[in-house]
Amino acid sequence: MSKLTTHVLDTANGKPAAGVRVTVSREQDGVWVELSTAVTNADGRCDAPLLQDAGFACGRYRLVFHIGAYFREQGAVVEQPAFLERIPVEFGVSDASAHYHVPLLVTPWSYSTYRGS
């Protein structure tokens, strides 16, 4: 099944990051067009794929993780402005029939991502 999913892990606190807003955009004619928005659940995942089947095509995508709000809600001491407020992750999809999983491991000061399975 073709789909796009994510998983956010709060590595500063060793737990899934619940309540992180994630927006999905696709580049069309040089302009980013927002396609969907979701919020991570208690497991740090979204309840449904961010995109799937006919809504998921080859092209350039951007996930934006609204992480500053998450860490403030966790009671973290976050500078103003926050070092990381929003984390954009841009990537290409060359096989729209595949499952693209884009995890984010994050602290208030750093992040890492990769193509997962």
Side-chain angles (χ1 to χ4, degrees):
M1 178 204 285
S2 63
K3 63 183 174 180
L4 172 63
T5 59
T6 191
H7 188 192
V8 183
L9 297 171
D10 175 348
T11 56
N13 295 299
K15 64 180 186 175
V20 175
R21 185 164 62 104
V22 182
T23 59
V24 183
S25 301
R26 182 171 46 225
E27 188 177 32
Q28 297 175 339
D29 299 321
V31 176
W32 289 103
V33 177
E34 188 172 310
L35 303 175
S36 68
T37 300
V39 176
T40 58
N41 61 23
D43 191 37
R45 301 174 187 272
C46 298
D47 290 330
L50 297 168
L51 297 172
Q52 64 182 5
D53 299 329
F56 189 50
C58 292
R60 302 277 325 147
Y61 287 85
R62 179 188 319 175
L63 297 181
V64 177
F65 298 88
H66 298 260
I67 208 68
Y70 164 78
F71 279 112
R72 282 190 291 279
E73 290 170 10
Q74 297 302 303
V77 177
V78 178
E79 303 163 333
Q80 291 302 322
F83 182 69
L84 295 173
E85 186 65 41
R86 289 175 300 279
I87 299 172
V89 177
E90 295 182 13
F91 57 96
V93 170
S94 60
D95 179 3
S97 68
H99 177 190
Y100 280 71
H101 183 66
V102 183
L104 181 75
L105 289 74
V106 66
T107 78
W109 313 277
S110 64
Y111 66 92
S112 176
T113 189
Y114 56 95
R115 181 173 175 194
S117 57

